[in-house]
Amino acid sequence: MLKRVCSMSYTHGSEKTKLCFQAITRHFHSGQPHSAARSFFGVEDFLDDDNSRPYTYQKEKKSKNPNKHISFKQRTIAYMEPFTLDVFISRRFVSASLTHRVTSKQVAVAGTNSKDIKAALKSRSDIPACLAIGKILSERAIEADVFTASYTPRERDKFEGKIRAVVQSLIDNGIDVKIYLD
């Protein structure tokens, strides 16, 4: 439609309209943006803000404070204490795992949903089940040559009851657990 309108006005128009349409068509399909970069559902067209990478799909988050100092401890904690303990307790089961921080690989896992543990327990979510999970996890961790771990409870978790039973069982069975409470 636009092509037909342009061709009709081009053939019937004066010299001024011919020059105007030539200027429009010259810049119409050049492939370069003439305004700021557009975004369509998170896909950045053409170039980023710093014009470094063409056709990027998602921008990384920029720090709110680019001059923020990162301490030595913050930079090296993942290498000094590489293993973290993760404990999940629901109404139906208990699971715990030791994860390597740098590689994000699970070194040892134990849960009351597994077949070998499920048959031996009376209930899958009480304190004796938590103690059993701690013991089995410590055996599997020692088998994988892991003797230390760090544990930071989630925001909604309190370090008492079942969670404390799992951690205490790990400590009693030979795993040194550093607990970080805020």
Side-chain angles (χ1 to χ4, degrees), residues 3 21 26 29 62 77 91-92 109 174 181:
K3 189 175 185 182
F21 278 118
R26 188 173 348 137
H29 290 290
K62 293 182 181 177
I77 191 80
R91 292 182 182 176
R92 300 180 69 183
V109 179
L181 300 173

Side-chain angles (χ1 to χ4, degrees), residues 81 83-85 98 146-151 175-179:
E81 298 169 359
F83 297 101
T84 60
L85 172 66
L98 285 172
V146 176
F147 298 99
T148 60
S150 63
Y151 175 68
I175 304 295
D176 181 32
V177 179
K178 288 185 181 178
I179 303 162

Side-chain angles (χ1 to χ4, degrees), residues 9-39:
S9 62
Y10 187 75
T11 55
H12 298 299
S14 65
E15 194 64 34
K16 285 184 179 180
T17 57
K18 288 181 183 179
L19 290 174
C20 180
F21 278 118
Q22 286 176 353
I24 290 172
T25 55
R26 188 173 348 137
H27 296 292
F28 190 66
H29 290 290
S30 64
Q32 295 294 325
H34 296 292
S35 61
R38 300 174 303 160
S39 177

Side-chain angles (χ1 to χ4, degrees), residues 63 65-82 101-102 180 182:
S63 175
N65 186 1
N67 298 325
K68 182 178 178 183
H69 176 71
I70 300 172
S71 69
F72 180 76
K73 184 177 179 181
Q74 288 173 329
R75 284 182 275 151
T76 59
I77 191 80
Y79 299 99
M80 302 300 282
E81 298 169 359
R101 282 188 188 182
V102 180
Y180 293 101
D182 292 334

Side-chain angles (χ1 to χ4, degrees), residues 159-177:
F159 187 66
E160 58 189 35
K162 295 176 184 178
I163 294 176
R164 188 177 185 117
V166 173
V167 174
Q168 190 62 44
S169 178
L170 279 169
I171 292 170
D172 292 343
N173 288 302
I175 304 295
D176 181 32
V177 179

